[in-house]
Amino acid sequence: HIPGAKLILYKTVRGDRTIDGKNIKHMVVTGDQFETIMQKAGVNNDSHIVITTNAESGFDLTMATRMYWQVKYYGHDNVSILNGGTAQWIIDAHKISTSANLTKPGNWKASEERESIFANSIDVLNATESDTQIVDVRPLGQYLGTNKSGKAKTKGHIPTAKVFPIDLLSKKNSPVKFSSISELQKLSKALSIDDQQSLILYCNSGHMASGGWFVFHELLGNTNTKLYDGSMHQWTHEDRPVASMIVE
């Protein structure tokens, strides 16, 4: 690992929540829970947080964007992602360490939730009847309804949603890096997505969609971009309407 890096296990930063009597998985943990995780890692209120993963796959990249989104959601703006991650760090011949990094507890505090970057099911339902663009970042087959993730009850996509498949957000070669801003803009236009109009990003559970949120909100500068945390898992378990290109 990079010398001095603090380890936070990805599986600890998401958890189950009961929403309208239904158990919804993979949601952002509460502010108190996230605060405890960050403090145990030695993070302080004045820390510049730099998030890194192995960057060997798109999944690695979106682990970083999901963590980034949660840090922002709880009010900490001084945060960055190391493009290319630890793999690029090693390629660039920087020093690495295999020693345990002992650290003192930090004083990081979670602020009130930043609702400006969070969408719930009602927000998404309203968006299906407004000018807000809903963007599905799942693989094309899942969007069209030829197959589905185990996290979703039903095949297909949220009505009115446009598709921006996750594999277009980054370069496939390891170490994985974000596509260039000019390329992302051209891809958005080709897929009939206005990158400066109101957006809600979703996937199956809010993991891949964090990559889409990061691209539009942070790289393309559209501050009116939200992440639907529950995504298709929550949407379909609430038995909300689903559209499919495939008639069975």
Side-chain angles (χ1 to χ4, degrees), residues 4 23 32 67 70 86 115 131 147 155 166 179 213:
N23 182 45
D32 288 344
M67 183 66 178
Q70 291 196 188
T86 305
E115 298 297 335
D131 292 333
N147 60 81
K155 293 179 181 179
I166 187 67
S179 298
W213 174 87

Side-chain angles (χ1 to χ4, degrees), residues 186-204:
K186 291 175 183 177
L187 290 169
S188 298
K189 185 176 181 179
L191 295 168
S192 300
I193 298 170
D194 184 343
D195 60 36
Q196 294 305 309
Q197 189 177 328
S198 299
L199 295 167
I200 296 177
L201 282 295
Y202 79 93
C203 57
N204 288 308

Side-chain angles (χ1 to χ4, degrees), residues 35-87:
E35 190 173 285
T36 298
I37 291 168
M38 298 293 275
Q39 289 181 358
K40 284 184 177 180
V43 182
N44 293 311
N45 285 326
D46 61 354
S47 293
H48 176 200
I49 301 171
V50 179
I51 300 168
T52 185
T53 61
N54 287 340
E56 295 176 340
S57 66
F59 184 85
D60 285 348
L61 188 69
T62 46
M63 278 200 296
T65 57
R66 176 70 197 199
M67 183 66 178
Y68 182 102
W69 177 82
Q70 291 196 188
V71 169
K72 285 264 189 173
Y73 180 65
Y74 282 119
H76 192 107
D77 288 316
N78 194 11
V79 56
S80 306
I81 292 175
L82 180 60
N83 202 17
T86 305

Side-chain angles (χ1 to χ4, degrees), residues 157-224:
H157 59 269
I158 296 173
T160 76
K162 299 178 181 180
V163 64
F164 196 126
I166 187 67
D167 62 340
L168 300 181
L169 300 179
S170 61
K171 301 300 182 184
K172 292 184 179 180
N173 296 336
S174 181
V176 177
K177 297 181 180 180
F178 294 102
S179 298
S180 70
I181 290 176
S182 62
E183 185 173 348
L184 291 167
Q185 290 171 329
K186 291 175 183 177
L187 290 169
S188 298
K189 185 176 181 179
L191 295 168
S192 300
I193 298 170
D194 184 343
D195 60 36
Q196 294 305 309
Q197 189 177 328
S198 299
L199 295 167
I200 296 177
L201 282 295
Y202 79 93
C203 57
N204 288 308
S205 68
H207 173 100
M208 292 184 292
S210 69
W213 174 87
F214 183 86
V215 161
F216 286 103
H217 193 282
E218 301 294 278
L219 299 184
L220 300 183
N222 184 349
T223 56
N224 200 3

Side-chain angles (χ1 to χ4, degrees), residues 1-22:
H1 59 266
I2 296 171
K6 324 289 186 183
L7 176 64
I8 292 180
L9 296 176
Y10 181 69
K11 65 180 181 181
T12 66
V13 302
R14 303 169 73 193
D16 294 3
R17 291 206 182 191
T18 300
I19 301 175
D20 295 331
K22 296 184 182 295

Side-chain angles (χ1 to χ4, degrees), residues 136-149 152 154-158 163-167 202 204 208 232 242-248:
D136 186 330
V137 303
R138 297 175 303 157
L140 188 58
Q142 292 184 12
Y143 173 83
L144 295 175
T146 61
N147 60 81
K148 72 177 185 66
S149 162
T154 311
K155 293 179 181 179
H157 59 269
I158 296 173
V163 64
F164 196 126
I166 187 67
D167 62 340
Y202 79 93
N204 288 308
M208 292 184 292
M232 284 298 281
V242 173
S244 176
M245 305 295 183
I246 307 299
V247 178
E248 296 183 345

